[in-house]
Amino acid sequence: MLNRTRRLRKTENIRRLVRENSLSVNDLIYPLFIEEGENIETEIPSMPGIKRFSLDTLHKELDEVVDLKIPAVLLFGIPANKDCEGTETWNDDGIMQQAIRYIKKNYPSLYVITDVCFCEYTDHGHCGIIHDNDVDNDETLVNLAKQVISHAKAGVDMVAPSGMMDGTIQTIREALDNTGFYQIPIMGYSVKYASAFYGPFRDAADSAPSFGDRRTYQMDPSNRDEGLREATFDDEEGADILMVKPALSYLDIIRDLKNNFDRPIACYNVSGEYAMVKAAAEKGWIDGERVMMESLLSMKRAGADIIITYFAKEVAKLLKDQ
């Protein structure tokens, strides 16, 4: 007997009925870049459609995010002043802390997640305190604790530490619990690779390192098994959500985490992945909308429960129209 698998592809309705995976607005987190200053609404050239906002212009973007029913935003702060330690990260009146309070007051339904790192706040662009031309892991942990407590006091809903310091999750969990913020969850950047796909983000956040690179603390793209070890540490230390970053070139890692951990799995559809689709679509070489949806669907199919993506508004509009 000939196996006729095409029978279940004949019409759109049967394809819908047997569809194994689908995208929903409920899957999406939208990153936002918030710059200290006034009257700032600056498009990022390498990320068409994505802008930096100051607090006085941010309402335009947030109104749209809420109207599209995107459930959460991930905040990145860009301070006016940087120093060697990134001390603005734990300034209770810093740009991130102001943004948290502003959003929670004016958009209370929106779930606010903060990037917890130092690269946007240090004058050298690395993710912590520098000793001997490298990031000092344990000294940086001390400052991470200060940063998350400051975010918690401002009213953040979740923190997402992205620096890949050993012991990050344990340090942050203890800091939050010991100051009464035990209810705040942690989304660990559990498997974060030293990737070339981050280039446009560094333009967006002014976070390019002034010397060297981040390969001593972010993972080697060649390694798969190491990702499971990293995720295991975060799981044991108390991460509530495990993330893989980047997403599209690391779908095998997303599936590894989905198969091995009983926690929500997130992935970050990073700036380079976004920029490539936008650039090729602008040239007319691809159908940008279809490639966008197919790429994000591949992340869901690999096992991601949550997708952090700069496409969030476009996807939400498309799903709303459908």
Side-chain angles (χ1 to χ4, degrees):
M1 181 178 65
L2 182 63
N3 290 312
R4 295 190 181 276
T5 54
R6 290 180 59 190
R7 290 174 183 142
L8 299 183
R9 302 175 194 151
K10 189 169 179 60
T11 68
E12 175 60 18
N13 280 345
I14 187 60
R15 290 193 294 270
R16 286 173 57 200
L17 285 169
V18 300
R19 189 161 289 151
E20 298 174 24
N21 296 278
S22 60
L23 270 175
S24 162
V25 70
N26 299 327
D27 303 323
L28 307 176
I29 297 173
Y30 185 48
L32 285 173
F33 298 99
I34 304 172
E35 185 172 358
E36 193 167 7
E38 295 181 352
N39 199 32
I40 298 168
E41 187 177 344
T42 306
E43 184 155 326
I44 300 156
S46 56
M47 299 174 68
I50 304 300
K51 299 177 180 180
R52 291 186 187 184
F53 296 91
S54 52
L55 283 180
D56 59 333
T57 63
L58 187 59
H59 65 277
K60 302 174 185 178
E61 191 80 336
L62 293 174
D63 286 345
E64 188 174 16
V65 168
V66 170
D67 181 62
L68 290 168
K69 296 184 170 27
I70 296 169
V73 290
L74 175 60
L75 306 185
F76 295 90
I78 304 161
N81 298 303
K82 305 186 181 194
D83 60 29
C84 63
E85 289 191 39
T87 57
E88 277 294 299
T89 61
W90 63 84
N91 176 0
D92 289 344
D93 290 317
I95 184 58
M96 185 73 89
Q97 291 79 355
Q98 291 181 51
I100 296 166
R101 290 192 293 267
Y102 173 82
I103 296 172
K104 295 311 298 182
K105 177 182 178 182
N106 295 286
Y107 300 88
S109 66
L110 200 54
Y111 196 81
V112 176
I113 308 166
T114 51
D115 175 66
V116 174
C117 195
F118 296 98
C119 58
E120 303 104 304
Y121 295 84
T122 54
D123 52 16
H124 48 72
H126 279 283
C127 299
I129 294 175
I130 298 295
H131 285 162
D132 299 323
N133 288 323
D134 195 11
V135 175
D136 187 297
N137 192 95
D138 293 5
E139 282 198 34
T140 299
L141 293 179
V142 173
N143 288 348
L144 277 172
K146 299 176 189 176
Q147 185 178 166
V148 294
I149 291 169
S150 183
H151 290 193
K153 289 192 295 184
V156 75
D157 293 305
M158 177 187 286
V159 293
S162 60
M164 288 296 285
M165 297 298 111
D166 295 338
T168 289
I169 301 300
Q170 179 176 319
T171 296
I172 290 176
R173 187 72 274 158
E174 290 176 353
L176 292 171
D177 290 356
N178 291 340
T179 50
F181 296 109
Y182 54 84
Q183 79 281 9
I184 294 178
I186 302 170
M187 178 164 59
Y189 281 64
S190 305
V191 188
K192 181 179 179 181
Y193 287 89
S195 173
F197 285 99
Y198 302 149
F201 174 91
R202 293 170 182 172
D203 293 338
D206 283 344
S207 64
S210 61
F211 65 90
D213 53 42
R214 298 186 174 123
R215 285 183 287 183
T216 66
Y217 44 102
Q218 295 176 0
M219 282 180 52
D220 185 338
S222 302
N223 294 355
R224 179 175 180 175
D225 293 343
E226 185 185 9
L228 281 175
R229 292 197 295 275
E230 287 280 4
T232 298
F233 297 146
D234 278 10
D235 180 59
E236 292 173 346
E237 292 175 19
D240 299 277
I241 298 171
L242 306 176
M243 187 212 296
V244 176
K245 180 181 180 181
L248 197 54
S249 292
Y250 298 89
L251 299 176
D252 56 329
I253 313 301
I254 296 172
R255 175 45 59 180
D256 285 345
L257 266 60
K258 188 66 174 177
N259 288 344
N260 284 278
F261 298 96
D262 187 22
R263 293 191 186 274
I265 305 302
C267 67
Y268 201 140
N269 176 216
V270 298
S271 59
E273 297 167 351
Y274 173 88
M276 288 191 303
V277 173
K278 286 293 186 181
E282 185 181 343
K283 288 283 190 179
W285 294 340
I286 61 171
D287 181 327
E289 188 176 276
R290 289 186 63 190
V291 170
M292 170 186 74
M293 296 299 284
E294 188 175 335
S295 297
L296 296 176
L297 187 60
S298 76
M299 298 164 202
K300 285 284 290 184
R301 191 180 65 245
D305 303 291
I306 298 165
I307 302 174
I308 304 164
T309 179
Y310 303 99
F311 287 121
K313 289 197 305 177
E314 292 175 69
V315 172
K317 288 174 186 174
L318 188 60
L319 293 173
K320 191 176 182 180
D321 291 341
Q322 290 175 350

